[in-house]
Amino acid sequence: QFEAAKKFDARERVKLITAPTLVLSGTEDQVVPLALSQQLALQIPNSRFHAIDRAAHLAFIEKADEINQLVLQFLKSQE
């Protein structure tokens, strides 16, 4: 799985995403550094980016309440 993920590169295609997109990243993520997530969000039209303070790669577990609130707010803003 790691080798497949390492070889996968869709950077040229993310600009084709048309759905509203929320990009979340932990500020302490060592697997996908914050700068790469920020760059991804800049490439996706109409995306929103939010950094989760003091969270690593498993931010959805480490900061579950905060992540859930951000996702709910994002979804409500799309209504």
Side-chain angles (χ1 to χ4, degrees), residues 2 5-6 23-41 49 51-52 55-59:
F2 177 74
K6 218 168 70 169
V23 178
L24 301 172
S25 180
T27 59
E28 307 302 318
D29 193 334
Q30 298 297 307
V31 178
V32 180
L34 185 64
L36 289 180
S37 295
Q38 290 171 316
Q39 190 175 53
L40 175 67
F49 175 80
I52 310 301
H57 191 65
L58 299 177

Side-chain angles (χ1 to χ4, degrees), residues 14 21-24 34-50:
V14 297
T21 304
L22 176 63
V23 178
L24 301 172
L34 185 64
L36 289 180
S37 295
Q38 290 171 316
Q39 190 175 53
L40 175 67
L42 289 172
Q43 299 289 323
I44 300 172
N46 302 314
S47 70
R48 292 189 197 166
F49 175 80
H50 189 87

Side-chain angles (χ1 to χ4, degrees), residues 4 9-10 12 15 18 22 24 41 44 52 60 66 70 74:
D9 185 354
E12 292 300 316
K15 63 185 174 221
T18 58
L22 176 63
L24 301 172
I44 300 172
I52 310 301
F60 63 95
E66 184 176 348
L70 288 166
F74 177 75

